[in-house]
Amino acid sequence: MPSVVAKWLGRCPGEQSQHELARYLKVLAEINHGYWEDHPAPISDINRAMHRAAGIAPLTGPTWREFDIPVEGRIVISGDVVRRGFDDERESDAELAERLRTAGLPIVSMEASSCCNISLSRCRLRGIDFIVFDPRRLYPGNDRLSLVFLSETGCPLLENITVEVQERGMFANPSDNDPGGIDCYLGAPTLRLRYMHEAFLDCLMAWIKWHFVDDLSYWRNAEWPDSPLYNDWFAAAAEKQGERDARDAAFARLCDEYTVECDTWIDRAERNFQSDGSA
């Protein structure tokens, strides 16, 4: 099977809820970082060779970021952060552009991008993102799990919406036709996966929707895979343990599952791939 791109969009209106969600995700980000410290480069020979050929260095330094900061300068926001629907039911560029104009948002054009980009001069970012551990490191630059929320924009359409943060000089690639440059680019969150962490992400997103982001939308091959199963689990646990204890217990289970999956894939890479270079 090919890789899959998971996508999510949502709005978390309460600052307290945003902080609380970030507190949980920080725990997961620190667990994840420990794996990157031990395995900064791909384990398998073939993936190492591909990285060398592409000039991709081993991952060093922080693998996660925590935001609760004001941002000023030239901020460009992809209209996809508020686009309705995914894939076949995705809102068209024309429909999105009209909705942005109705909301009074300035639309800017960028090379190699859709016409539906929004320009701001200030905002606030709050939340957590991290580079998801994979001992193959298949998709550098498209491997970040982001639950960062945009606020203080002056526009209700953008307030408290999920974004993925790309700063100039770190992730942004300014156009040659844009001499002023972009200080911060905010896109719609996506994460590219291949087998590893797919079911985990489904469950994590269901947990986030149940407890923090009521209107969260999520797509991985289909809309909300296995969500009835997860929702039944959350409901039964809440009835038995109470909402807060059930939330904590479910998150602890998610962290345990994450470590099991990381360990399993490390073992698979070390046993099956490193010696013969197959993938």
Short mmCIF file of all heavy atoms in Angstrom, two decimals, residues 90-138:
data_model
loop_
_atom_site.label_atom_id
_atom_site.label_comp_id
_atom_site.label_asym_id
_atom_site.label_seq_id
_atom_site.Cartn_x
_atom_site.Cartn_y
_atom_site.Cartn_z
N ARG A 90 -14.08 18.45 -0.95
CA ARG A 90 -13.31 19.64 -0.62
C ARG A 90 -13.90 20.88 -1.29
O ARG A 90 -14.24 20.87 -2.47
CB ARG A 90 -11.87 19.42 -1.12
CG ARG A 90 -10.85 20.47 -0.77
CD ARG A 90 -9.49 19.93 -1.22
NE ARG A 90 -8.40 20.82 -0.89
CZ ARG A 90 -7.86 21.68 -1.75
NH1 ARG A 90 -8.34 21.76 -2.98
NH2 ARG A 90 -6.85 22.45 -1.38
N GLU A 91 -14.01 21.96 -0.52
CA GLU A 91 -14.50 23.24 -1.02
C GLU A 91 -13.57 23.75 -2.12
O GLU A 91 -12.34 23.68 -1.99
CB GLU A 91 -14.55 24.23 0.14
CG GLU A 91 -15.10 25.59 -0.19
CD GLU A 91 -15.15 26.49 1.03
OE1 GLU A 91 -14.31 26.29 1.94
OE2 GLU A 91 -16.00 27.38 1.07
N SER A 92 -14.12 24.26 -3.21
CA SER A 92 -13.31 24.73 -4.32
C SER A 92 -12.58 26.03 -3.96
O SER A 92 -12.97 26.75 -3.03
CB SER A 92 -14.19 24.98 -5.54
OG SER A 92 -15.01 26.12 -5.35
N ASP A 93 -11.53 26.35 -4.74
CA ASP A 93 -10.80 27.59 -4.53
C ASP A 93 -11.73 28.80 -4.68
O ASP A 93 -11.63 29.77 -3.90
CB ASP A 93 -9.64 27.71 -5.52
CG ASP A 93 -8.47 26.84 -5.14
OD1 ASP A 93 -8.47 26.28 -4.03
OD2 ASP A 93 -7.52 26.73 -5.96
N ALA A 94 -12.61 28.76 -5.67
CA ALA A 94 -13.51 29.89 -5.90
C ALA A 94 -14.45 30.09 -4.72
O ALA A 94 -14.68 31.23 -4.28
CB ALA A 94 -14.30 29.67 -7.19
N GLU A 95 -15.01 29.00 -4.20
CA GLU A 95 -15.92 29.10 -3.06
C GLU A 95 -15.18 29.60 -1.83
O GLU A 95 -15.69 30.44 -1.07
CB GLU A 95 -16.54 27.73 -2.77
CG GLU A 95 -17.51 27.26 -3.84
CD GLU A 95 -17.90 25.80 -3.65
OE1 GLU A 95 -17.07 25.02 -3.13
OE2 GLU A 95 -19.02 25.46 -4.05
N LEU A 96 -13.97 29.09 -1.62
CA LEU A 96 -13.18 29.52 -0.47
C LEU A 96 -12.82 31.00 -0.58
O LEU A 96 -12.94 31.75 0.40
CB LEU A 96 -11.92 28.67 -0.35
CG LEU A 96 -10.92 29.07 0.73
CD1 LEU A 96 -11.56 29.02 2.11
CD2 LEU A 96 -9.69 28.16 0.68
N ALA A 97 -12.36 31.43 -1.77
CA ALA A 97 -11.98 32.82 -1.96
C ALA A 97 -13.16 33.76 -1.66
O ALA A 97 -13.00 34.80 -1.02
CB ALA A 97 -11.48 33.03 -3.38
N GLU A 98 -14.35 33.38 -2.10
CA GLU A 98 -15.53 34.20 -1.84
C GLU A 98 -15.83 34.28 -0.35
O GLU A 98 -16.19 35.35 0.17
CB GLU A 98 -16.74 33.63 -2.59
CG GLU A 98 -18.03 34.41 -2.39
CD GLU A 98 -17.92 35.85 -2.86
OE1 GLU A 98 -17.13 36.13 -3.78
OE2 GLU A 98 -18.64 36.70 -2.28
N ARG A 99 -15.67 33.17 0.35
CA ARG A 99 -15.93 33.17 1.80
C ARG A 99 -14.90 34.03 2.53
O ARG A 99 -15.24 34.72 3.51
CB ARG A 99 -15.92 31.73 2.30
CG ARG A 99 -16.60 31.53 3.63
CD ARG A 99 -17.11 30.13 3.81
NE ARG A 99 -16.10 29.12 3.61
CZ ARG A 99 -15.26 28.68 4.56
NH1 ARG A 99 -15.34 29.20 5.78
NH2 ARG A 99 -14.39 27.74 4.31
N LEU A 100 -13.65 33.99 2.09
CA LEU A 100 -12.61 34.82 2.72
C LEU A 100 -12.88 36.30 2.47
O LEU A 100 -12.72 37.13 3.38
CB LEU A 100 -11.23 34.44 2.18
CG LEU A 100 -10.75 33.02 2.51
CD1 LEU A 100 -9.40 32.75 1.85
CD2 LEU A 100 -10.64 32.81 4.02
N ARG A 101 -13.30 36.66 1.25
CA ARG A 101 -13.60 38.06 0.95
C ARG A 101 -14.80 38.54 1.79
O ARG A 101 -14.80 39.67 2.29
CB ARG A 101 -13.90 38.22 -0.54
CG ARG A 101 -12.70 38.01 -1.44
CD ARG A 101 -13.01 38.41 -2.87
NE ARG A 101 -11.92 38.03 -3.76
CZ ARG A 101 -11.88 36.93 -4.50
NH1 ARG A 101 -12.92 36.09 -4.48
NH2 ARG A 101 -10.85 36.67 -5.26
N THR A 102 -15.78 37.68 1.94
CA THR A 102 -16.96 38.04 2.74
C THR A 102 -16.56 38.29 4.19
O THR A 102 -17.15 39.16 4.87
CB THR A 102 -18.01 36.92 2.68
OG1 THR A 102 -18.40 36.72 1.31
CG2 THR A 102 -19.23 37.26 3.51
N ALA A 103 -15.57 37.56 4.67
CA ALA A 103 -15.09 37.74 6.05
C ALA A 103 -14.17 38.95 6.18
O ALA A 103 -13.70 39.27 7.28
CB ALA A 103 -14.35 36.49 6.51
N GLY A 104 -13.88 39.63 5.05
CA GLY A 104 -13.04 40.82 5.09
C GLY A 104 -11.56 40.53 5.16
O GLY A 104 -10.77 41.40 5.57
N LEU A 105 -11.15 39.33 4.75
CA LEU A 105 -9.74 38.95 4.83
C LEU A 105 -9.02 39.26 3.52
O LEU A 105 -9.52 38.95 2.44
CB LEU A 105 -9.61 37.46 5.14
CG LEU A 105 -10.02 37.06 6.55
CD1 LEU A 105 -10.16 35.55 6.67
CD2 LEU A 105 -8.99 37.57 7.57
N PRO A 106 -7.82 39.87 3.61
CA PRO A 106 -7.05 40.15 2.40
C PRO A 106 -6.45 38.87 1.83
O PRO A 106 -5.82 38.09 2.54
CB PRO A 106 -5.95 41.09 2.89
CG PRO A 106 -5.80 40.78 4.34
CD PRO A 106 -7.16 40.37 4.83
N ILE A 107 -6.66 38.63 0.54
CA ILE A 107 -6.15 37.43 -0.12
C ILE A 107 -4.91 37.81 -0.92
O ILE A 107 -4.91 38.80 -1.66
CB ILE A 107 -7.22 36.83 -1.05
CG1 ILE A 107 -8.46 36.46 -0.24
CG2 ILE A 107 -6.68 35.61 -1.77
CD1 ILE A 107 -9.62 35.97 -1.08
N VAL A 108 -3.85 37.03 -0.76
CA VAL A 108 -2.60 37.29 -1.46
C VAL A 108 -2.26 36.09 -2.33
O VAL A 108 -2.63 34.95 -2.03
CB VAL A 108 -1.44 37.59 -0.49
CG1 VAL A 108 -1.73 38.85 0.29
CG2 VAL A 108 -1.21 36.43 0.47
N SER A 109 -1.52 36.34 -3.41
CA SER A 109 -1.11 35.28 -4.33
C SER A 109 0.36 34.98 -4.11
O SER A 109 1.17 35.88 -3.90
CB SER A 109 -1.34 35.71 -5.78
OG SER A 109 -0.91 34.70 -6.67
N MET A 110 0.71 33.68 -4.13
CA MET A 110 2.10 33.24 -4.00
C MET A 110 2.39 32.25 -5.11
O MET A 110 1.55 31.47 -5.51
CB MET A 110 2.33 32.56 -2.64
CG MET A 110 2.27 33.50 -1.45
SD MET A 110 2.32 32.58 0.09
CE MET A 110 3.87 31.69 -0.10
N GLU A 111 3.64 32.29 -5.59
CA GLU A 111 4.06 31.36 -6.62
C GLU A 111 3.97 29.93 -6.10
O GLU A 111 4.26 29.65 -4.94
CB GLU A 111 5.51 31.67 -7.02
CG GLU A 111 6.03 30.87 -8.19
CD GLU A 111 7.44 31.25 -8.56
OE1 GLU A 111 7.87 32.35 -8.18
OE2 GLU A 111 8.08 30.45 -9.23
N ALA A 112 3.57 29.00 -6.97
CA ALA A 112 3.48 27.57 -6.65
C ALA A 112 2.52 27.32 -5.49
O ALA A 112 2.69 26.41 -4.70
CB ALA A 112 4.85 27.00 -6.31
N SER A 113 1.49 28.15 -5.38
CA SER A 113 0.51 27.98 -4.31
C SER A 113 -0.85 28.38 -4.85
O SER A 113 -0.97 29.03 -5.89
CB SER A 113 0.88 28.83 -3.10
OG SER A 113 -0.07 28.70 -2.07
N SER A 114 -1.90 27.99 -4.14
CA SER A 114 -3.23 28.41 -4.55
C SER A 114 -3.39 29.90 -4.32
O SER A 114 -2.60 30.53 -3.62
CB SER A 114 -4.29 27.63 -3.75
OG SER A 114 -4.31 28.10 -2.43
N CYS A 115 -4.44 30.48 -4.91
CA CYS A 115 -4.65 31.92 -4.77
C CYS A 115 -5.24 32.27 -3.41
O CYS A 115 -5.32 33.44 -3.06
CB CYS A 115 -5.58 32.42 -5.88
SG CYS A 115 -7.26 31.75 -5.80
N CYS A 116 -5.65 31.28 -2.65
CA CYS A 116 -6.39 31.55 -1.41
C CYS A 116 -5.47 31.58 -0.20
O CYS A 116 -5.58 30.77 0.73
CB CYS A 116 -7.48 30.50 -1.22
SG CYS A 116 -8.68 30.47 -2.55
N ASN A 117 -4.54 32.51 -0.19
CA ASN A 117 -3.71 32.74 0.97
C ASN A 117 -4.09 34.06 1.62
O ASN A 117 -4.50 35.01 0.94
CB ASN A 117 -2.22 32.77 0.59
CG ASN A 117 -1.73 31.41 0.15
OD1 ASN A 117 -1.61 30.50 0.95
ND2 ASN A 117 -1.45 31.26 -1.13
N ILE A 118 -3.96 34.13 2.94
CA ILE A 118 -4.43 35.27 3.72
C ILE A 118 -3.22 35.97 4.32
O ILE A 118 -2.27 35.32 4.78
CB ILE A 118 -5.36 34.79 4.85
CG1 ILE A 118 -6.52 33.98 4.27
CG2 ILE A 118 -5.87 35.96 5.67
CD1 ILE A 118 -7.11 32.99 5.25
N SER A 119 -3.23 37.27 4.32
CA SER A 119 -2.12 38.05 4.88
C SER A 119 -2.55 38.72 6.18
O SER A 119 -3.61 39.35 6.25
CB SER A 119 -1.69 39.11 3.87
OG SER A 119 -0.64 39.90 4.40
N LEU A 120 -1.70 38.56 7.21
CA LEU A 120 -1.90 39.24 8.49
C LEU A 120 -0.59 39.88 8.93
O LEU A 120 0.49 39.49 8.47
CB LEU A 120 -2.35 38.26 9.58
CG LEU A 120 -3.72 37.61 9.49
CD1 LEU A 120 -3.93 36.70 10.69
CD2 LEU A 120 -4.83 38.67 9.44
N SER A 121 -0.68 40.81 9.86
CA SER A 121 0.54 41.42 10.40
C SER A 121 0.81 41.00 11.84
O SER A 121 1.91 41.21 12.34
CB SER A 121 0.44 42.95 10.33
OG SER A 121 -0.67 43.41 11.08
N ARG A 122 -0.18 40.38 12.49
CA ARG A 122 0.03 39.93 13.86
C ARG A 122 -0.98 38.85 14.22
O ARG A 122 -2.07 38.79 13.68
CB ARG A 122 -0.08 41.10 14.85
CG ARG A 122 -1.44 41.74 14.93
CD ARG A 122 -1.39 42.99 15.76
NE ARG A 122 -0.45 43.94 15.20
CZ ARG A 122 -0.15 45.11 15.76
NH1 ARG A 122 -0.72 45.45 16.90
NH2 ARG A 122 0.70 45.91 15.19
N CYS A 123 -0.58 38.01 15.17
CA CYS A 123 -1.46 36.96 15.68
C CYS A 123 -0.79 36.37 16.92
O CYS A 123 0.30 36.79 17.32
CB CYS A 123 -1.71 35.87 14.64
SG CYS A 123 -0.24 34.90 14.21
N ARG A 124 -1.42 35.39 17.51
CA ARG A 124 -0.83 34.62 18.59
C ARG A 124 -0.92 33.15 18.25
O ARG A 124 -1.92 32.69 17.67
CB ARG A 124 -1.52 34.88 19.94
CG ARG A 124 -1.00 34.00 21.10
CD ARG A 124 -1.56 34.41 22.43
NE ARG A 124 -0.95 35.61 22.92
CZ ARG A 124 0.18 35.65 23.66
NH1 ARG A 124 0.81 34.52 23.96
NH2 ARG A 124 0.67 36.78 24.07
N LEU A 125 0.12 32.40 18.61
CA LEU A 125 0.15 30.95 18.41
C LEU A 125 0.23 30.28 19.77
O LEU A 125 1.00 30.69 20.63
CB LEU A 125 1.36 30.55 17.56
CG LEU A 125 1.44 31.15 16.16
CD1 LEU A 125 2.77 30.83 15.52
CD2 LEU A 125 0.30 30.65 15.29
N ARG A 126 -0.58 29.21 19.93
CA ARG A 126 -0.59 28.50 21.21
C ARG A 126 -0.76 27.01 20.95
O ARG A 126 -1.68 26.61 20.24
CB ARG A 126 -1.73 29.02 22.10
CG ARG A 126 -1.78 28.39 23.48
CD ARG A 126 -2.95 28.92 24.29
NE ARG A 126 -2.82 30.34 24.59
CZ ARG A 126 -3.61 31.28 24.10
NH1 ARG A 126 -4.61 30.96 23.28
NH2 ARG A 126 -3.43 32.56 24.42
N GLY A 127 0.14 26.18 21.51
CA GLY A 127 -0.01 24.73 21.35
C GLY A 127 1.32 24.02 21.26
O GLY A 127 2.36 24.54 21.66
N ILE A 128 1.28 22.80 20.72
CA ILE A 128 2.43 21.89 20.66
C ILE A 128 2.49 21.29 19.26
O ILE A 128 1.47 20.97 18.66
CB ILE A 128 2.27 20.73 21.67
CG1 ILE A 128 2.33 21.23 23.11
CG2 ILE A 128 3.32 19.64 21.44
CD1 ILE A 128 3.71 21.53 23.63
N ASP A 129 3.72 21.14 18.75
CA ASP A 129 3.92 20.26 17.60
C ASP A 129 5.21 19.47 17.79
O ASP A 129 6.07 19.85 18.58
CB ASP A 129 3.89 21.01 16.26
CG ASP A 129 5.10 21.91 16.03
OD1 ASP A 129 6.10 21.80 16.74
OD2 ASP A 129 5.03 22.73 15.09
N PHE A 130 5.31 18.33 17.10
CA PHE A 130 6.53 17.53 17.19
C PHE A 130 6.71 16.67 15.94
O PHE A 130 5.74 16.34 15.25
CB PHE A 130 6.56 16.66 18.45
CG PHE A 130 5.43 15.67 18.60
CD1 PHE A 130 5.53 14.38 18.11
CD2 PHE A 130 4.27 16.03 19.29
CE1 PHE A 130 4.50 13.47 18.26
CE2 PHE A 130 3.23 15.13 19.45
CZ PHE A 130 3.35 13.84 18.94
N ILE A 131 7.98 16.36 15.65
CA ILE A 131 8.33 15.50 14.53
C ILE A 131 8.12 14.06 14.97
O ILE A 131 8.78 13.57 15.88
CB ILE A 131 9.79 15.72 14.09
CG1 ILE A 131 10.00 17.18 13.67
CG2 ILE A 131 10.15 14.78 12.94
CD1 ILE A 131 11.45 17.54 13.43
N VAL A 132 7.20 13.38 14.33
CA VAL A 132 6.79 12.04 14.75
C VAL A 132 7.91 11.04 14.47
O VAL A 132 8.46 10.97 13.37
CB VAL A 132 5.50 11.62 14.02
CG1 VAL A 132 5.14 10.18 14.34
CG2 VAL A 132 4.36 12.56 14.39
N PHE A 133 8.25 10.24 15.48
CA PHE A 133 9.35 9.28 15.35
C PHE A 133 9.00 8.16 14.38
O PHE A 133 7.92 7.58 14.43
CB PHE A 133 9.71 8.67 16.70
CG PHE A 133 10.78 7.62 16.57
CD1 PHE A 133 12.10 7.98 16.35
CD2 PHE A 133 10.46 6.27 16.64
CE1 PHE A 133 13.09 7.02 16.20
CE2 PHE A 133 11.44 5.30 16.49
CZ PHE A 133 12.76 5.68 16.28
N ASP A 134 9.96 7.88 13.50
CA ASP A 134 9.88 6.74 12.58
C ASP A 134 11.32 6.34 12.30
O ASP A 134 12.09 7.15 11.77
CB ASP A 134 9.16 7.14 11.29
CG ASP A 134 8.98 5.97 10.32
OD1 ASP A 134 9.72 4.98 10.44
OD2 ASP A 134 8.13 6.08 9.42
N PRO A 135 11.75 5.11 12.65
CA PRO A 135 13.15 4.73 12.45
C PRO A 135 13.56 4.69 10.99
O PRO A 135 14.74 4.61 10.68
CB PRO A 135 13.22 3.33 13.08
CG PRO A 135 11.83 2.81 13.05
CD PRO A 135 10.95 4.02 13.24
N ARG A 136 12.61 4.79 10.07
CA ARG A 136 12.92 4.88 8.64
C ARG A 136 13.10 6.33 8.21
O ARG A 136 13.75 6.60 7.20
CB ARG A 136 11.78 4.25 7.82
CG ARG A 136 11.47 2.82 8.19
CD ARG A 136 10.11 2.40 7.66
NE ARG A 136 9.02 3.18 8.24
CZ ARG A 136 7.75 3.07 7.92
NH1 ARG A 136 7.39 2.20 6.97
NH2 ARG A 136 6.83 3.80 8.49
N ARG A 137 12.49 7.26 8.93
CA ARG A 137 12.46 8.69 8.61
C ARG A 137 12.19 8.89 7.11
O ARG A 137 13.01 9.43 6.37
CB ARG A 137 13.75 9.39 9.03
CG ARG A 137 13.56 10.89 9.18
CD ARG A 137 14.79 11.64 9.58
NE ARG A 137 14.54 13.07 9.53
CZ ARG A 137 15.48 14.00 9.41
NH1 ARG A 137 16.75 13.66 9.34
NH2 ARG A 137 15.17 15.27 9.36
N LEU A 138 11.01 8.50 6.71
CA LEU A 138 10.67 8.46 5.29
C LEU A 138 10.32 9.82 4.70
O LEU A 138 10.55 10.07 3.51
CB LEU A 138 9.49 7.52 5.07
CG LEU A 138 9.71 6.04 5.39
CD1 LEU A 138 8.42 5.27 5.24
CD2 LEU A 138 10.80 5.45 4.51
#
